[in-house]
Every structure is written in C-alpha cells, then in structure tokens.
C-alpha cells in the first residue's frame, strides 16, 4: 500500500507564474489535508477536502490560492501569480476519517516551492 | 486561541539515555493528539495517535501520555539511539475543528553516539 504521494517534489517558479501541486492520498483514504511550512516556522493548516467537497478552508489565504479534490484523480493545490512569500514546503496528508485510529493523518514527502 | 507549545526547542543527549519530550495545549477540549517525527528536509512520519479518552499509547521504545485536564502530553523515548535524531512534532485536533491539526513548533532532538 503506497503512502501519500506528492509531485513534484521540488518546484521553481518566477514571480507571477502559477504553481500546481498534486497529492494522491493513500489507498482507501477519502480525506485530504494541505499544510504549509514556511522557512523557520511550524506547520500551518490550509484546507481540508473530501471527494469533490471543500470542508474547511479557514487556513487558506483568501486570494490566489485554491484547492480541489475531484471525483477522479489527485487533489490539486493551485497558487496563482506566485510571490516570493509563497516559497515554502507544502505538505499533503490523508486519513480514512472513520473515527478512532482511522483519524491518523499520514503525510506525503512534501513539495518544496521556490519563487524566484 | 487554540495553541500548541513544545519545550524545549532543542535537546541533545548521549546515546542510551531515556528522554521525555513535552507538549502543552491551551484548550483541554481535544479530539485526539498525534506525535510525528520529521527528518531534516523530509516529510512527517506518524509515531503515535492518542484519543481523548486514552491516557497513553505505546509503540516499541516510544510511549506517549495524555493529561487533558492539565493540557499536557509527553513522548517518552527509551534507550535513545543516533537514528532517533530528528525533529519531533506534537499536533492536536481540537474539538469543534473540522479535523485540522494544530502543530507545535517541534523539539529538535540530537542523540550523540
């Protein structure tokens, strides 16, 4: 059973370009979470999705950031018109979400975004 | 405000020592608490999850305890090894939050051979 997969692992963009980060949850997991780790800071929650639904986006910046988790395919975190302050490691996690130990969130290796 | 704090920020111990990492949280209304390790520049590895109804969980040389009333959790590592060197993160799912985890800033552990 493969773990959470994220790609690309490293992404370089110039200011003003778009960044697309992909996350494939663990098999059987229908809950996906995105977190951001800024340099020298802790992990911060961004958004929580289930298939085709955004459940909680309270940690997502109001502008330029969007997320989706379509019925088929990976979850996508999209950042439009990137700025240098978006440079960070973006982690995706997934869980089965059926209660108890199934609430354990498993993390992917992250995508490290560098904005030049 | 719901916050998670980890002290100390860094810890260095000789190989073989038993050690305790601390985590505190501001709101005792939690659903669960999870401990992770993060190797430098890498992703997070889940170590243990404690439900709010539990007092402790054990996995190998690791034992995590939870005291909701005092807002504290500890991660005990027995017989530490150089391979245990990593940053250890505590994360809380507070009740009322839609499954999101609130993370502490971590304790960077170095086990010296």
């Amino acid at each position: 059973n493969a773990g959470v997969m994220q790609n690309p692992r490293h992404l370089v963009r110039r200011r003003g370009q778009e960044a697309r980060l992909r996350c494939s949850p663990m098999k059987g997991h229908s809950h996906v979470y995105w977190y951001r780790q800024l340099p020298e800071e802790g992990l911060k929650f961004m958004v929580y999705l289930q298939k085709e639904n955004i459940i909680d986006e309270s940690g997502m910046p109001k502008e330029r950031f969007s997320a989706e988790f379509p019925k088929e395919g990976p979850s996508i975190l999209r950042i439009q018109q990137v700025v240098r302050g978006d440079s960070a490691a973006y982690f995706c996690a997934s869980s089965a979400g059926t209660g108890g130990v199934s609430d354990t969130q498993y993390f992917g290796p992250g995508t490290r975004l560098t904005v030049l | 405000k719901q916050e998670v704090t980890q002290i100390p920020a860094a810890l260095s111990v000789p190989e073989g020592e038993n050690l305790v990492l601390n985590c505190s949280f501001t709101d005792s209304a939690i659903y669960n608490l999870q401990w992770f390790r993060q190797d430098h520049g890498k992703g997070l590895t889940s170590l243990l999850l404690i439900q709010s109804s539990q007092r402790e969980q054990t996995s190998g040389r690791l034992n995590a305890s939870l005291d909701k009333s005092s807002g504290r959790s500890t991660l005990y590592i027995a017989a530490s090894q150089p391979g245990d060197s990593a940053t250890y993160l505590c994360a809380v799912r507070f009740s009322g939050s839609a499954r999101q985890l609130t993370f502490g800033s971590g304790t960077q552990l170095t086990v010296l051979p």
Side-chain angles (χ1 to χ4, degrees):
Chain A
N1 187 7
V4 178
M5 300 178 70
Q6 291 187 247
N7 67 80
R9 296 288 303 276
H10 299 273
L11 182 61
V12 179
R13 285 288 178 265
R14 296 190 180 281
R15 281 179 297 169
Q17 290 185 319
E18 178 179 288
R20 280 185 180 237
L21 288 62
R22 295 174 185 78
C23 169
S24 296
M26 286 180 70
K27 187 176 181 181
H29 287 188
S30 59
H31 300 253
V32 166
Y33 317 82
W34 286 93
Y35 295 83
R36 179 167 66 173
Q37 188 172 38
L38 292 165
E40 306 305 322
E41 292 190 23
L43 278 137
K44 304 290 185 192
F45 167 78
M46 298 182 74
V47 62
Y48 159 42
L49 310 101
Q50 292 186 41
K51 281 289 188 181
E52 300 186 272
N53 290 301
I54 295 175
I55 308 301
D56 181 358
E57 55 182 349
S58 58
M60 192 97 96
K62 293 288 186 283
E63 298 179 351
R64 303 188 296 107
F65 286 71
S66 62
E68 62 178 12
F69 189 14
K71 188 176 181 181
E72 301 290 337
S75 176
I76 306 286
L77 180 67
R78 182 183 178 204
I79 311 172
Q80 295 178 287
Q81 298 177 310
V82 296
V83 301
R84 288 219 175 103
D86 297 332
S87 294
Y90 292 82
F91 291 97
C92 170
S94 73
S95 71
T98 52
V101 70
S102 298
D103 281 341
T104 301
Q105 292 188 22
Y106 295 93
F107 279 71
T111 293
R112 277 149 185 85
L113 172 65
T114 301
V115 180
L116 301 177
Chain B
K1 187 179 178 184
Q2 295 169 329
E3 295 182 337
V4 179
T5 303
Q6 292 185 249
I7 295 172
L11 181 64
S12 185
V13 299
E15 182 177 3
E17 269 203 11
N18 303 325
L19 59 101
V20 174
L21 305 179
N22 297 297
C23 171
S24 61
F25 41 94
T26 54
D27 185 349
S28 62
I30 73 169
Y31 191 82
N32 61 42
L33 183 148
Q34 204 167 339
W35 281 93
F36 296 88
R37 71 173 277 170
Q38 183 176 28
D39 293 278
H40 183 67
K42 302 289 176 74
L44 280 70
T45 300
S46 177
L47 298 173
L48 290 163
L49 178 142
I50 310 179
Q51 301 291 338
S52 64
S53 58
Q54 298 174 318
R55 293 300 299 258
E56 64 179 301
Q57 278 284 355
T58 298
S59 176
R61 293 184 294 110
L62 306 179
N63 176 276
S65 69
L66 175 64
D67 184 344
K68 274 197 311 178
S69 60
S70 65
R72 296 180 188 276
S73 175
T74 62
L75 179 67
Y76 175 83
I77 303 177
S80 58
Q81 304 169 358
D84 295 330
S85 298
T87 296
Y88 289 79
L89 296 165
C90 169
V92 174
R93 178 183 162 189
F94 290 101
S95 299
S97 69
R99 296 180 183 272
Q100 63 171 278
L101 293 176
T102 301
F103 280 84
S105 53
T107 294
Q108 187 175 349
L109 173 66
T110 302
V111 180
L112 302 169

